[in-house]
Amino acid sequence: MLLVEDDQGDILLTREAFDLNKVRNRLHVVNDGEQAMAFLRQDEGFAEAPRPDLILLDLNLPRMSGMEVLREVKADVMLRTIPVVILTTSEAEEDILHSYRLHANAYVSKPVDFEQFIRVVRQIDNFFVTVVKLPVQG
């Protein structure tokens, strides 16, 4: 999994949620939109980066917004099959609608409460890793 998040507190919470939920997938983290695209395209110091099975994407990012990352991922024939879950603090209807118009696979507002955040991460992992059948990438 690739987490695209610039808030160090949210990164720590996500790592703790992964540990507590015993999430099997390895979590890779980048801190801005440009790094996310470099990771996904294996450019600029990310030549050995694995192709993630899932992208957890914040909307409010420096250098390139989450919406811009989502637009590029879904426009790229090599990347568009990677599921993208928007995981953000925004509950704005405009952000939700825009994300789905850009073909986000899910939109999740980050819970403020740690226990709820852990449950959300568990549900995302269960759904996208256990329930959903994803295409095999070559």
Side-chain angles (χ1 to χ4, degrees):
M1 275 190 223
L2 176 63
L3 174 63
V4 186
E5 175 63 68
D6 65 320
D7 184 292
Q8 294 304 311
D10 286 347
I11 292 169
L12 181 61
L13 278 177
T14 305
R15 286 190 190 282
E16 287 181 26
F18 267 59
D19 290 342
L20 287 170
N21 289 319
K22 296 176 178 46
V23 173
R24 298 176 308 274
N25 286 325
R26 183 154 182 232
L27 182 66
H28 300 272
V29 179
V30 293
N31 300 119
D32 65 51
E34 288 182 6
Q35 284 182 350
M37 294 312 302
F39 184 99
L40 293 166
R41 293 182 173 141
Q42 296 178 316
D43 291 335
E44 303 172 31
F46 294 103
E48 301 298 318
R51 179 185 173 92
D53 294 323
L54 177 66
I55 300 168
L56 301 175
L57 179 63
D58 187 22
L59 292 182
N60 304 308
L61 298 168
R63 298 177 59 199
M64 181 182 200
S65 75
M67 289 293 185
E68 291 170 310
V69 171
L70 178 61
R71 182 180 296 113
E72 282 200 30
V73 167
K74 294 303 181 178
D76 187 316
V77 70
M78 301 302 291
L79 302 175
R80 72 173 54 139
T81 57
I82 303 171
V84 178
V85 174
I86 303 300
L87 185 60
T88 188
T89 55
S90 174
E91 293 184 16
E93 189 63 31
E94 176 183 315
D95 287 340
I96 296 167
L97 185 59
H98 194 176
S99 295
Y100 282 116
R101 283 186 176 150
L102 292 175
H103 305 288
N105 297 84
Y107 190 103
V108 179
S109 294
K110 290 179 196 171
V112 179
D113 178 72
F114 181 66
E115 294 300 320
Q116 288 179 343
F117 188 82
I118 289 172
R119 276 194 293 277
V120 164
V121 169
R122 182 182 312 122
Q123 290 170 341
I124 291 170
D125 179 59
N126 280 343
F127 185 71
F128 282 99
V129 176
T130 306
V131 177
V132 172
K133 184 79 173 160
L134 298 173
V136 176
Q137 302 302 320

